[in-house]
Amino acid sequence: GASAPMETPVDMMAVIRECSSLGSADANRIDSLVTTDAQILGEYGEITSVTSNLISNALRYSADDAPVEVSWSEDDDGWCVLRVSDKGDGISPEDVPRLTERFFRVNRGRGRDSGGTGLGLAIVKHALVRHDADFEIDTEIGQGSTFSCRFPPERLRFPSPGMLQSESVGQG
C-alpha cells in the first residue's frame, strides 16, 4: 500500500507530553526534559508509537517508584535525540541484539508482564528505519537502560522564531 506522508512536522514536546500522560497513574514518575524545539519531519502516528512504546517499557520494567527520564535534545553534530532512560534491572548483553526481533521477550523472571508479544521494539525499530533514524540501546545490569532514537538533520525542522522577531521590528 501507499506509505503514509512522511513530511509532516511532528512536535516532539507535544508527543512527549501526550505519551507521558498515557499511564496517568505513573505520570508522576516521568521526568521530561526538552531542550530543542526541533520537529521531526515524518509520520505523527509512528513517532507517537515509538515514544509511547519506549516510555511504557521503561515504566513496566523498573520499580514502581523509580523515575523514568525522557529527553529530546540536539547533539553536537546536528542530530536530535529522543532518549528514554529507566533505573530498571538492565538487559543482559547477549539479549540486546535480539531486542528488536519480532516477539522476542526478555525473560526477567518477574512474571509481572506475562502476556504480550515482547517489548514492542520491533515496531519501534521499523518506524525509526522509515524515519532514517538510528536506534541505540545502552544498558547495564542492575543499573538500568537508556534507549536513544537519533534523527538526522535532513529529518528535522526548526521553527525559526528569529523571523517573527525581525518582522515586528520598527513597529513602535
Side-chain angles (χ1 to χ4, degrees):
S3 62
M6 295 291 288
E7 295 305 317
T8 310
V10 178
D11 177 354
M12 286 306 292
M13 190 178 288
V15 168
I16 290 170
R17 191 181 300 126
E18 183 182 326
C19 294
S20 297
S21 60
L22 288 181
S24 42
D26 288 313
N28 60 331
R29 288 173 52 196
I30 300 172
D31 295 327
S32 57
L33 178 67
V34 176
T35 56
T36 176
D37 62 354
Q39 299 168 335
I40 298 171
L41 292 173
E43 212 279 302
Y44 180 85
E46 291 191 8
I47 297 297
T48 303
S49 170
V50 165
T51 309
S52 67
N53 263 299
L54 293 177
I55 290 175
S56 60
N57 283 342
L59 290 168
R60 184 184 303 146
Y61 290 105
S62 52
D64 289 337
D65 54 354
V68 167
E69 292 171 10
V70 183
S71 68
W72 175 241
S73 58
E74 190 178 355
D75 267 8
D76 297 337
D77 54 7
W79 290 53
C80 284
V81 192
L82 171 70
R83 283 191 185 87
V84 178
S85 302
D86 63 56
K87 303 272 187 276
D89 301 336
I91 300 158
S92 63
E94 62 269 20
D95 281 345
V96 169
R98 300 188 56 207
L99 285 174
T100 54
E101 290 176 13
R102 289 187 66 194
F103 310 125
F104 176 72
R105 299 211 24 239
V106 175
N107 179 11
R108 285 256 163 73
R110 290 234 279 261
R112 184 173 153 195
D113 179 43
S114 50
T117 53
L119 296 173
L121 293 180
I123 300 165
V124 166
K125 175 81 173 173
H126 178 71
L128 291 173
V129 166
R130 279 171 42 88
H131 287 81
D132 311 305
D134 292 343
F135 187 42
E136 293 162 12
I137 302 171
D138 183 30
T139 180
E140 205 176 322
I141 295 291
Q143 301 295 310
S145 308
T146 296
F147 298 86
S148 303
C149 312
R150 303 183 70 247
F151 295 86
E154 59 270 19
R155 274 276 169 207
L156 301 169
R157 208 195 82 166
F158 294 86
S160 42
M163 285 167 52
L164 297 173
Q165 286 162 10
S166 61
E167 281 170 19
S168 62
V169 167
Q171 285 180 3

